[in-house]
Amino acid sequence: MSDTQISESIIHQLPPEISNKIAAGEVIQRPASVVKELLDNAIDAGADQLKILIQNAGRTLIQVTDNGCGMSKEDLPLCFERHATSKIHSVDDLFKIRTLGFRGEAMASIASVSQVTVKTKRAEDENGWEFEVWGGEEREIKPTATDNGTTIAVRNLFFNVPARRQFLKTDVTELRHILRTVQYAALANTDVAFYVEADGDIIYDLPIQDLNQRVTQIFGSSYKASLIEFGEETSYVKIHGFASDPKLAKKSRGEQFLFVNGRPFQHRYLTHVILSLYDAWTRNNEYPFYALFFDIDPSKVDVNVHPSKMEVKFEDERSVIQLARSVVNRALNKHFQVPDIQDDEDIFLSGSQSKGFDSGFSFNPPKTSRGSDGGLQISSRINTGDSSVKGRGDEFAGRLYSRKENDSSNFSFGDENSQKTERSVSKTVTQDKGFWQLHNTYILTQTRTGMTVIDQHLAHKRIIFEKAINATEEALPSTQQLLFAQTLELSASDYTLLKELHSIIQRMGFSVQLLSGNTAMINGVPADIEIGNEEEVLVSMLHQYQDLGQKIKLEAREKLAIAFASKAAIPRGKKLSQEEMESLVDQLFACEQPYLDPLKKPTISYIPLDELQARFR
């Protein structure tokens, strides 16, 4: 082997175009990442007016215009160099960061995977400058006429990295991530006006306003009278913000916000602590809104933990979490601490009635309507009008329930009189299936060889799911028209999702008209929804659809049908009559897959007779 071969190095310096693409993989994960970096830079530049334009969920165009300080001709090429920044001057600055962006990687990363055009002008300059960088390749800087501030247009994101572009989600999903990024920035910077337009539709037009007004304008007028304010200041940290009344809790995450020194961050344990404070007033898998702000000495918190800058480390994390728990808990208790003037029977927990307790005040969960008998009124129906379904259900159920007098599996009590009694009961069950409800949750019935236990909620979910799927395949789905149309105000992300799913929702039996200003009008609903509950069902469907999209891979109509069935199905805790139980069981056995709910949970549990006999030996 020659000396030349021995001395050859296998390690070499990566060219800038490759290293920038690698960095882009860490910093720029999706269009929302670009929006975040551009907003951070605009806010750091002192802007108080921001305009964001989006096309094709950021695939085609992301443009951010600000009225900040602008850049000089000399600054323009430098802002696209890696690790070039105006925000860090010494090592000490890393431990007292007060700006949103500071690493100097964002613009270089964005420019390496897109076509970027920058127009900028400082107030003291006579003219502005325009600069283009396409896929990391810099072009000529030229003078241009533009307003004070900076406009950055990012076109054709990932045009030179097709594999990354292929792994982007649907437009509605990517746009939802963009809107959440804007929500973070808008909540943290109420002294900045935000205008957001997507494909020609105005999503947000937020003036400079206080936090209460901004929350209401972003998430809807229903939040106006339902926000719980809290605040506390110690020598170490100041905490303030808003939480929502539990009645506004949603089935999907997305309205929980944490900030430290104006910077959004994520913290699993802190999120768990705050949500657990709502356990007394919310059901499982319900998520209330909150926006929690921490103001702390920058030297006491490390924000340089992850390339996305969404994770932070507190010097005294335990104290911060304990104080947050105490402040929010005290605000919630104060909100619910009212004189106990209700009857004992008005305290309703876990689907059953509970006697009151003498504590000086009562914790009052959101009101739930009741019938005259005190039972919970559920917005659902068990329809029995379809004779073909009933006939098919009778056929299946007949095979399951009927017992012959000479069946060898008959249980013998040991004496002749008891055997006569057993045969008499058997004959009665053959004529009347005999259903019993356990804890208003499970339907028990005797079968030929044992006992069957049916979960009424999961069973009804299967029934409604199949009906909803079948409805999407019909030319004219069954719809019950409302006497008075209901106008529904949605958040921007919910309205965007409704537009995406509108055709499927219509085929399922909803009659929904899309209006301007993130509002919709409900004119009709499927037969399985009780009139008066249509708004709640539709909004809940959208939230659960989002949640399902993160967990399972199904067609849009299947996820929507699951979301609809989950909301419309009779709940556990609902008392059913004999006729309702029989109808439900008949319809269940008429389903194509009666033994599993749409999420593959068992609807039926069978207990053989010999297993019951073994318990008495």
Side-chain angles (χ1 to χ4, degrees):
M1 185 177 292
S2 66
D3 293 340
T4 303
Q5 290 175 318
I6 294 174
S7 62
E8 284 182 351
S9 174
I10 62 174
I11 300 175
H12 59 277
Q13 188 79 31
L14 286 175
E17 60 269 21
I18 295 180
S19 60
N20 282 341
K21 284 187 175 68
I22 293 173
E26 295 179 335
V27 179
I28 310 302
Q29 301 171 351
R30 60 193 337 147
S33 307
V34 176
V35 174
K36 179 183 185 302
E37 298 296 347
L38 297 184
L39 291 181
D40 285 353
N41 285 339
I43 293 169
D44 283 341
D48 63 3
Q49 299 282 335
L50 295 179
K51 183 177 182 180
I52 303 105
L53 301 180
I54 305 295
Q55 290 181 6
N56 296 102
R59 288 176 169 84
T60 304
L61 173 68
I62 299 170
Q63 180 174 300
V64 175
T65 301
D66 68 63
N67 64 344
C69 63
M71 290 180 283
S72 67
K73 180 181 179 181
E74 292 72 26
D75 285 334
L76 264 178
L78 285 175
C79 83
F80 288 96
E81 295 291 330
R82 287 191 68 199
H83 308 307
T85 179
S86 62
K87 303 163 188 177
I88 298 293
H89 298 92
S90 67
V91 174
D92 291 340
D93 291 340
L94 289 174
F95 302 101
K96 50 182 179 181
I97 293 170
R98 294 186 179 276
T99 56
L100 297 175
F102 54 86
R103 286 189 174 133
E105 295 177 295
M107 294 308 300
S109 298
I110 293 170
S112 70
V113 292
S114 65
Q115 299 166 341
V116 178
T117 301
V118 181
K119 294 182 179 181
T120 187
K121 179 180 178 296
R122 298 183 302 178
E124 61 267 28
D125 294 338
E126 292 185 2
N127 61 269
W129 299 96
E130 181 177 333
F131 186 44
E132 291 184 341
V133 184
W134 286 26
E137 180 183 341
E138 297 183 357
R139 304 196 172 191
E140 181 185 2
I141 301 177
K142 54 187 179 183
T144 188
T146 186
D147 294 330
N148 294 339
T150 302
T151 295
I152 300 179
V154 179
R155 294 182 171 86
N156 301 319
L157 184 63
F158 300 133
F159 79 100
N160 56 352
V161 193
R164 294 289 304 280
R165 194 176 182 93
Q166 178 183 348
F167 280 95
L168 292 178
K169 304 298 184 182
T170 63
D171 278 3
V172 66
T173 299
E174 295 300 339
L175 183 57
R176 190 167 69 248
H177 282 286
I178 290 173
L179 295 181
R180 179 161 174 80
T181 299
V182 174
Q183 288 170 0
Y184 265 115
L187 290 174
N189 300 276
T190 55
D191 56 347
V192 178
F194 288 79
Y195 175 90
V196 183
E197 186 178 300
D199 299 317
D201 294 332
I202 299 175
I203 306 298
Y204 294 127
D205 189 1
L206 309 172
I208 296 174
Q209 55 198 160
D210 63 34
L211 182 58
N212 192 324
Q213 294 171 322
R214 181 147 292 183
V215 170
T216 300
Q217 193 162 346
I218 291 176
F219 298 106
S221 57
S222 60
Y223 285 71
K224 187 172 184 179
S226 302
L227 292 177
I228 305 168
E229 188 172 9
F230 54 82
E232 183 76 35
E233 184 171 3
T234 70
S235 58
Y236 182 75
V237 62
K238 176 184 177 182
I239 297 178
H240 67 98
F242 287 96
S244 72
D245 189 288
K247 66 184 179 184
L248 296 179
K250 297 181 177 178
K251 287 292 185 181
S252 60
R253 298 176 185 267
E255 294 185 0
Q256 296 76 45
F257 300 90
L258 297 173
F259 302 89
V260 57
N261 296 339
R263 174 189 300 281
F265 74 98
Q266 296 172 351
H267 196 292
R268 282 190 175 185
Y269 183 64
L270 179 56
T271 298
H272 166 75
V273 167
I274 301 302
L275 291 177
S276 67
L277 299 178
Y278 277 85
D279 286 349
W281 302 285
T282 58
R283 301 173 184 174
N284 291 335
N285 301 319
E286 286 188 335
Y287 303 96
F289 163 87
Y290 62 77
L292 191 60
F293 297 82
F294 297 87
D295 295 321
I296 191 171
D297 184 342
S299 65
K300 306 295 184 183
V301 58
D302 182 5
V303 300
N304 195 24
V305 179
H306 190 272
S308 68
K309 302 190 286 285
M310 285 300 288
E311 298 178 13
V312 301
K313 284 185 177 180
F314 295 99
E315 183 182 76
D316 188 354
E317 189 167 278
R318 182 178 179 183
S319 295
V320 169
I321 292 175
Q322 285 182 342
L323 182 60
R325 182 207 301 265
S326 174
V327 170
V328 177
N329 190 46
R330 187 162 60 248
L332 289 175
N333 286 343
K334 182 179 179 181
H335 179 74
F336 288 108
Q337 190 170 348
V338 295
D340 187 4
I341 58 175
Q342 295 179 316
D343 294 335
D344 290 344
E345 292 183 351
D346 282 339
I347 298 174
F348 189 81
L349 300 172
S350 304
S352 61
Q353 296 179 7
S354 173
K355 292 298 180 182
F357 49 91
D358 184 12
S359 60
F361 61 90
S362 64
F363 291 93
N364 298 309
K367 294 286 186 181
T368 307
S369 59
R370 299 170 179 275
S372 58
D373 61 350
L376 185 64
Q377 295 299 304
I378 302 302
S379 301
S380 61
R381 298 178 178 180
I382 304 175
N383 298 321
T384 58
D386 192 339
S387 58
S388 63
V389 168
K390 183 171 178 61
R392 185 180 172 195
D394 285 340
E395 178 186 346
F396 277 89
R399 283 186 241 150
L400 178 67
Y401 300 122
S402 61
R403 286 183 64 179
K404 299 177 181 178
E405 289 191 30
N406 59 355
D407 193 329
S408 61
S409 66
N410 281 353
F411 180 67
S412 174
F413 289 89
D415 61 74
E416 186 177 352
N417 290 333
S418 296
Q419 290 179 20
K420 288 180 180 178
T421 303
E422 161 64 13
R423 284 195 293 270
S424 175
V425 170
S426 174
K427 186 177 294 185
T428 302
V429 172
T430 304
Q431 298 169 352
D432 180 2
K433 300 182 183 74
F435 298 101
W436 298 269
Q437 197 177 17
L438 180 64
H439 294 298
N440 292 340
T441 298
Y442 302 102
I443 299 173
L444 310 182
T445 182
Q446 174 178 292
T447 68
R448 288 185 296 124
T449 57
M451 180 176 71
T452 297
V453 183
I454 299 173
D455 186 309
Q456 64 189 42
H457 176 68
L458 298 181
H460 203 205
K461 275 177 67 175
R462 163 54 63 180
I463 295 167
I464 295 178
F465 170 77
E466 292 198 6
K467 288 170 67 176
I469 288 293
N470 292 335
T472 63
E473 300 171 352
E474 296 175 359
L476 294 173
S478 175
T479 301
Q480 53 177 342
Q481 294 297 317
L482 301 179
L483 185 60
F484 300 102
Q486 300 295 318
T487 301
L488 180 62
E489 181 181 352
L490 299 166
S491 66
S493 57
D494 286 348
Y495 184 79
T496 302
L497 182 59
L498 178 60
K499 283 180 61 178
E500 179 85 5
L501 301 173
H502 186 250
S503 61
I504 304 175
I505 289 174
Q506 294 279 93
R507 294 203 306 272
M508 285 177 57
F510 287 88
S511 176
V512 180
Q513 181 181 357
L514 299 176
L515 306 177
S516 60
N518 296 338
T519 58
M521 181 177 292
I522 306 175
N523 298 303
V525 294
D528 289 286
I529 298 179
E530 185 172 320
I531 301 300
N533 201 38
E534 53 276 349
E535 293 184 26
E536 181 185 351
V537 170
L538 184 58
V539 173
S540 180
M541 280 174 58
L542 296 175
H543 294 161
Q544 189 148 1
Y545 177 90
Q546 294 176 19
D547 192 43
L548 288 171
Q550 301 171 6
K551 298 177 180 178
I552 56 178
K553 292 184 178 180
L554 292 172
E555 293 181 15
R557 67 169 189 152
E558 292 178 312
K559 288 189 288 188
L560 204 54
I562 292 173
F564 172 49
S566 298
K567 184 61 183 177
I570 54 177
R572 299 179 179 93
K574 165 67 175 177
K575 184 173 179 59
L576 302 179
S577 67
Q578 279 288 324
E579 292 76 12
E580 287 175 323
M581 287 188 282
E582 182 173 354
S583 174
L584 186 143
V585 173
D586 286 346
Q587 290 184 69
L588 176 63
F589 282 103
C591 292
E592 293 183 8
Q593 297 185 36
Y595 302 103
L596 297 173
D597 86 331
L599 293 176
K600 309 304 180 185
K601 296 179 182 178
T603 60
I604 300 171
S605 178
Y606 171 69
I607 303 175
L609 192 58
D610 55 3
E611 182 178 323
L612 291 173
Q613 290 174 332
R615 291 178 176 270
F616 296 95
R617 290 175 180 165

